[in-house]
Amino acid sequence: AQKVTQAQTEISVVEKEDVTLDCVYETRDTTYYLFWYKQPPSGELVFLIRRNSFDEQNEISGRYSWNFQKSTSSFNFTITASQVVDSAVYFCALTSGTYKYIFGTGTRLKVLA
Amino acid sequence: GAVVSQHPSRVICKSGTSVKIECRSLDFQATTMFWYRQFPKKSLMLMATSNEGSKATYEQGVEKDKFLINHASLTLSTLTVTSAHPEDSSFYICSARGRRLANTIYFGEGSWLTVV
């Protein structure tokens, strides 16, 4: 069975602090894809990144960076110099051949001014 | 990225009535569409998967007769909540996958349903 665990339910940080959101996954598939989505209060899911199981290179996009480690089945997300606009719920998701997305329970990030 | 649109974004209906939510892929052909439900402060739960031209596949515990899903064309899927009850109030969100989009699916904006 596939599973995604986001152990951090809620995180509060002060603006300009760095914050890391954890994601641990379980799957027996050798080919799979991991995603991070942002869900602001309005509800829509904003795609942030996709990473396939064969690409363990870390990625940086502006203030966002992702650390994919197959050895620990983790796909962590770091926001550098957080801003109030980063406040949202962040979901980690996993999919493989069926394209069904398995979502974690989400981490609510509050960035305080 | 690809665009998926949902309508209506918010709907209020009376108990016992039916309400339809549309999910459209605006700039690609969606061979597969997924419907999710999200309870307040909870994660997204997959309700069903629909492939164009065939019956939807429902996840365990989802009532097929209550949540009717139709995927009549490559750009449109609909979710009809029949005989709605207050406990059906939730955030419903669809996603779509196209032939040329590899393993990424794109989500609609979601629809807030309130049953009074």
Side-chain angles (χ1 to χ4, degrees), chain B residues 7-115:
Chain B
H7 177 81
S9 57
R10 290 183 182 274
V11 58
I12 300 173
C13 70
K14 292 183 177 179
S15 288
T17 63
S18 295
V19 59
K20 181 185 288 186
I21 300 170
E22 293 186 347
C23 177
R24 293 182 184 273
S25 56
L26 299 185
D27 54 357
F28 68 100
Q29 293 184 327
T31 50
T32 306
M33 285 187 170
F34 304 86
W35 285 94
Y36 291 82
R37 179 175 181 176
Q38 185 180 28
F39 292 99
K41 299 189 177 183
K42 297 292 184 183
S43 188
L44 290 86
M45 302 291 293
L46 179 64
M47 298 174 67
T49 302
S50 74
N51 293 299
E52 187 266 338
S54 60
K55 289 184 179 179
T57 301
Y58 289 80
E59 296 299 302
Q60 197 170 14
V62 178
E63 297 177 61
K64 302 178 184 180
D65 296 332
K66 180 162 190 63
F67 298 100
L68 301 179
I69 290 172
N70 183 281
H71 191 163
S73 75
L74 283 172
T75 60
L76 174 65
S77 176
T78 59
L79 166 66
T80 302
V81 182
T82 63
S83 188
H85 286 177
E87 54 263 34
D88 298 327
S89 299
S90 191
F91 184 64
Y92 293 88
I93 191 165
C94 73
S95 63
R97 172 179 172 264
R99 291 192 184 97
R100 295 185 293 112
L101 295 177
N103 296 296
T104 300
I105 62 174
Y106 292 88
F107 287 84
E109 310 96 324
S111 300
W112 294 96
L113 169 64
T114 302
V115 184

Side-chain angles (χ1 to χ4, degrees), chain A residues 2 11 16 53 59 65-66 79 87:
Chain A
Q2 296 184 322
I11 300 175
K16 297 185 183 178
S53 52
E59 182 156 338
S65 62
W66 291 270
I79 301 175
S87 297

Side-chain angles (χ1 to χ4, degrees), chain A:
Chain A
Q2 296 184 322
K3 186 179 179 182
V4 175
T5 301
Q6 292 180 257
Q8 304 151 307
T9 305
E10 186 168 315
I11 300 175
S12 291
V13 298
V14 177
E15 212 171 14
K16 297 185 183 178
E17 285 185 359
D18 299 346
V19 59
T20 295
L21 310 181
D22 298 333
C23 174
V24 175
Y25 63 93
E26 295 176 29
T27 181
R28 292 181 180 175
D29 294 321
T30 54
T31 302
Y32 52 89
Y33 297 82
L34 295 162
F35 302 80
W36 275 96
Y37 286 87
K38 175 182 180 180
Q39 187 178 42
S42 53
E44 77 272 22
L45 283 174
V46 178
F47 168 79
L48 296 178
I49 189 171
R50 180 189 78 178
R51 178 50 48 95
N52 75 55
S53 52
F54 298 109
D55 182 4
E56 284 194 73
Q57 234 180 357
N58 291 328
E59 182 156 338
I60 298 175
S61 176
R63 295 185 297 107
Y64 296 167
S65 62
W66 291 270
N67 183 354
F68 176 29
Q69 301 224 341
K70 286 180 78 170
S71 60
T72 55
S73 298
S74 65
F75 186 42
N76 297 337
F77 172 32
T78 297
I79 301 175
T80 303
S82 59
Q83 299 176 2
V84 173
V85 294
D86 296 327
S87 297
V89 180
Y90 291 85
F91 288 97
C92 179
L94 165 72
T95 190
S96 55
T98 63
Y99 305 108
K100 292 181 183 179
Y101 276 34
I102 307 299
F103 284 87
T105 49
T107 297
R108 183 176 298 276
L109 175 64
K110 292 184 178 179
V111 181
L112 308 172

